[in-house]
């Protein structure tokens, strides 16, 4: 650890040179956390000519990157090989490499603790690593989704403990990630990027970086405004998904097809945005991010009714799906769940991704087993269940193949994720009872053995 006195040099930072370096693409950019956010960002910064240091604590990821091997669906080995052959790219787990970076971008997870409170341990560990190497003339950007105030209250003090001053010796900004895994339409480059900083120099440098890496860098007045923007984006989704889930339950009780109603409402050319009911809400963002604001708002004595109610409704959907399954089996098969055989179609948290994080399908899977059902799953994107924090005892369970014979062997098939590429005609033809949470079966017209859930 360089002592504070040594770290501070009296020579002022050559700000114009740093700005020119970053703005022209000649700079070295370190990206910390090479996951679903950091990996695309490394590609996007490299594509703009920067020298990219891909830092990750996972030595296996580092070795794969340096060997030109991808570990993320949607990013082929060829993309890494292209970076390696162009040079200007190196992966490392060695923090001392950070000293060579003109800008360091933090892309590590921000989950919730078991008590559903912000868990900033990955951010804090990463900032501590940066602080151990921080030198004058570096821009630090936090991209991880977090509550308003994190950059100023948690990140900045840790970096200023080195004796270096924010806005003078080093520079600090917040720019929320907007990666949407599996979205084939928008790329890192084509998604506008919010950029917030709390001093002019930091904002100028951060805008110079993102202004080159993405097609539109959108400045906001502070890091808190940038942190808040990302939360609003995802709270908006969580609340609207919960609303449509509640409406689904009401209309189902009324014998109205909520999917037909949404399609009809979509014909309104203004003032309406469709959301669709489902078996619950998964992923690394929507079930998590809103509660970062709930937690912070308590500090101001402000309630967050919508956020908490939306979370409750969305979290209750697996139980609703199972109640609809029970009802249908009771009425049609005169059978309970105990001792039944159920096939769960789709384990991933959303269509056409291989990501299980917070997936409601796993909750449904566990609850069906607790009810005494024998449960199999079929998911073309998940050949076998990987290790997960909450459902680790399911790790290694394999996806079963679909066949006329196998389908006929189940008391019911529950469609939880509407992946493309599944033979739904085979399912429709051979499954005795289908519980459809994604309206996938609508393509076959009204089917007496299909129950919306
Ligand atoms: N869901 C519904 N009904 C809907 C939309 C989603 O039940 O109408 C469910 C999905 O099945 C999934 C969960 O909600 O289980 C989350 O879905 P999502 O479409 O929000 O997908 P995410 O979690 O990948 O969200 C990301 C977010 N991106 C970032 O945070 C950078 C979100 O802001 C994006 O808007 C979203 O992708 C997107 O639009 O795809």
């Amino acid at each position: 650890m360089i002592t504070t006195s040594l770290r501070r040099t009296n020579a002022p930072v050559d700000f114009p040179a740093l700005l020119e370096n970053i703005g022209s693409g000649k700079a070295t950019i370190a990206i910390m956390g090479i996951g679903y956010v950091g990996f695309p960002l490394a590609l996007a910064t490299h594509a703009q000519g920067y020298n990219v240091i891909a830092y990750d604590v996972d030595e296996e990821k580092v070795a794969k990157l340096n060997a030109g091997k991808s570990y993320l669906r949607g990013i082929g080995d060829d993309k890494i090989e292209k970076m390696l052959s162009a040079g200007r790219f190196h992966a490392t787990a060695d923090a001392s490499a950070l000293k060579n970076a003109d800008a360091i971008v933090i892309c590590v997870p921000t989950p919730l603790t078991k008590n559903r409170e912000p868990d900033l341990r990955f951010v804090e560990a990463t900032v501590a690593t940066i602080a151990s190497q921080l030198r004058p003339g570096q821009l630090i950007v936090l991209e991880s989704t977090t509550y308003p105030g994190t950059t100023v209250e948690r990140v900045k003090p840790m970096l200023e403990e080195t004796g270096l001053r924010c806005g003078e010796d080093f520079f600090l900004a917040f720019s929320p990630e907007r990666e949407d895994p599996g979205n084939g339409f928008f790329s890192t480059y084509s998604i506008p990027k919010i950029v917030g900083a709390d001093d002019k120099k930091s904002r100028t440098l951060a805008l110079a970086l993102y202004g080159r890496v993405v097609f539109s860098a959108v400045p906001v007045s502070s890091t808190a405004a940038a942190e808040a923007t990302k939360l609003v984006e995802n709270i908006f989704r969580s609340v609207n998904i919960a609303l449509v889930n509640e409406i689904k339950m009401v209309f189902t009780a009324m014998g109205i097809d909520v999917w037909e109603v949404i399609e009809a409402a979509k014909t309104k050319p203004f003032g309406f945005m469709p959301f669709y009911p489902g078996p619950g809400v998964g992923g690394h963002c929507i079930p998590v991010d809103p509660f970062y604001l709930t937690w912070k708002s308590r500090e101001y004595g402000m309630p967050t009714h919508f956020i908490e109610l939306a979370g409750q409704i969305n979290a209750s959907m697996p139980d609703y799906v199972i109640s609809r399954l029970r009802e249908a089996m009771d009425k049609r098969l005169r059978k309970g769940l105990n001792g039944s055989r159920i096939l769960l179609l789709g384990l991933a948290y959303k269509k056409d991704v291989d990501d299980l994080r917070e997936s409601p399908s796993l909750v449904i899977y566990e609850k069906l087993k607790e009810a005494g059902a024998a449960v199999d799953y079929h998911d073309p994107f998940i050949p076998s269940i990987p290790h997960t924090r909450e459902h680790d005892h399911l790790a290694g369970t394999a996806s079963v193949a679909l066949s006329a014979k196998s389908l006929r062997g189940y008391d019911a098939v529950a469609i939880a994720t509407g992946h493309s590429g599944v033979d739904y005609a085979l399912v429709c033809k051979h499954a005795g009872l289908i519980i459809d949470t994604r309206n996938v079966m609508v393509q076959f017209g009204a089917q007496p053995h299909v129950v919306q859930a």
Side-chain angles (χ1 to χ4, degrees):
M1 178 78 166
I2 298 176
T3 62
T4 300
S5 55
L6 276 181
R7 196 76 67 82
R8 284 288 300 281
T9 57
N10 295 326
V13 168
D14 182 347
F15 183 79
L18 177 58
L19 180 57
E20 153 62 20
N21 233 3
I22 290 179
S24 64
K26 289 198 289 285
T28 295
I29 312 295
I31 294 167
M32 300 182 76
I34 312 302
Y36 81 89
V37 173
F39 207 145
L41 185 62
L43 292 168
T45 41
H46 186 271
Q48 296 305 330
Y50 291 103
N51 180 28
V52 175
I53 299 169
Y55 174 92
D56 202 292
V57 294
D58 181 339
E59 306 249 4
E60 200 184 319
K61 284 196 173 91
V62 166
K64 281 186 175 172
L65 288 168
N66 286 330
K69 296 290 171 227
S70 177
Y71 44 81
L72 278 193
R73 178 186 282 271
I75 298 180
D77 295 351
D78 57 318
K79 295 235 174 71
I80 311 168
E81 280 152 9
K82 194 168 159 230
M83 283 201 291
L84 289 168
S85 53
R88 300 187 287 108
F89 177 77
H90 178 63
T92 184
D94 176 358
S96 65
L98 296 173
K99 278 199 293 291
N100 307 322
D102 300 300
I104 302 174
V105 184
I106 305 169
C107 303
V108 297
T110 45
L112 291 174
T113 66
K114 282 195 171 48
N115 305 329
R116 300 191 69 68
E117 298 192 336
D119 180 353
L120 291 179
R121 65 192 140 107
F122 300 115
V123 168
E124 290 175 339
T126 305
V127 173
T129 301
I130 295 170
S132 72
Q133 307 298 326
L134 190 66
R135 59 165 173 77
Q138 289 184 306
L139 166 66
I140 313 299
V141 185
L142 176 61
E143 288 215 353
S144 309
T145 305
T146 185
Y147 60 80
T150 303
T151 305
V152 169
E153 298 164 13
R154 305 285 281 268
V155 177
K156 182 179 170 187
M158 286 179 72
L159 295 175
E160 289 195 320
E161 268 172 28
T162 60
L164 297 180
R165 295 158 302 169
C166 183
E168 286 306 318
D169 302 317
F170 72 89
F171 307 95
L172 184 59
F174 182 85
S175 178
E177 60 92 359
R178 278 181 168 171
E179 278 303 322
D180 179 23
N183 186 323
F185 185 74
F186 291 109
S187 68
T188 306
Y189 178 76
S190 64
I191 300 171
K193 201 96 170 40
I194 301 297
V195 177
D198 301 304
D199 66 83
K200 191 169 180 311
K201 286 183 177 177
S202 297
R203 184 176 302 109
T204 304
L205 289 171
L207 285 171
L209 172 62
Y210 287 105
R212 187 176 172 87
V213 173
V214 301
F215 97 102
S216 164
V218 180
V220 292
S221 61
S222 65
T223 54
E227 290 157 340
T229 301
K230 173 59 190 279
L231 289 185
V232 163
E233 290 165 12
N234 285 353
I235 290 165
F236 166 75
R237 291 186 71 74
S238 173
V239 170
N240 279 287
I241 293 166
L243 172 63
V244 79
N245 280 330
E246 180 173 81
I247 286 174
K248 169 183 81 174
M249 293 187 278
V250 171
F251 284 175
T252 300
M254 295 168 72
I256 295 169
D257 180 343
V258 68
W259 295 85
E260 176 194 9
V261 169
I262 293 165
E263 286 309 305
K266 272 166 69 176
T267 60
K268 182 179 177 187
F270 51 84
F272 180 76
M273 178 178 178
F275 284 85
Y276 301 96
V281 166
H284 41 276
C285 308
I286 311 307
V288 172
D289 299 348
F291 295 95
Y292 269 68
L293 185 60
T294 294
W295 179 83
K296 189 62 177 176
S297 67
R298 289 189 199 124
E299 205 175 290
Y300 299 84
M302 296 304 289
T304 55
H305 301 305
F306 276 95
I307 293 175
E308 292 170 73
L309 177 59
Q312 287 157 21
I313 290 175
N314 289 332
S316 75
M317 296 317 292
D319 282 330
Y320 175 77
V321 170
I322 289 174
S323 71
R324 293 284 289 158
L325 171 59
R326 277 185 200 281
E327 207 178 287
M329 283 183 60
D330 182 36
K331 208 176 336 177
R332 297 160 184 250
L333 310 177
R334 295 275 174 265
K335 192 167 187 182
L337 279 175
N338 194 6
S340 66
R341 293 198 65 225
I342 307 292
L343 175 67
L344 194 51
L345 216 41
L347 223 48
Y349 80 88
K350 77 173 181 181
K351 180 177 177 182
D352 296 348
V353 299
D354 63 352
D355 195 333
L356 273 177
R357 280 173 291 187
E358 308 283 330
S359 176
S361 299
L362 287 172
V363 177
I364 293 169
Y365 190 117
E366 299 270 31
K367 286 175 178 279
L368 288 174
K369 282 172 69 83
E370 279 157 26
V375 188
D376 288 331
Y377 83 90
H378 172 79
D379 188 317
F381 288 80
I382 302 178
S384 78
I385 300 179
H387 287 286
T388 56
R389 266 199 305 268
E390 288 84 16
H391 308 275
D392 211 36
H393 52 285
L394 297 178
T397 310
S399 170
V400 297
L402 291 186
S403 69
K405 183 167 181 287
S406 70
L407 284 163
R408 284 197 293 270
Y410 294 104
D411 295 303
V413 173
I415 301 175
T417 311
H419 284 314
S420 316
V422 173
D423 188 345
Y424 292 112
L426 186 78
V427 175
C428 188
K429 188 169 177 197
H430 296 287
L433 172 61
I434 298 169
I435 306 295
D436 187 358
T437 73
R438 300 291 192 176
N439 205 41
V440 166
M441 288 291 148
V442 69
Q443 61 188 299
F444 305 111
Q447 298 287 334
H449 65 310
V450 176
V451 173
Q452 277 190 356

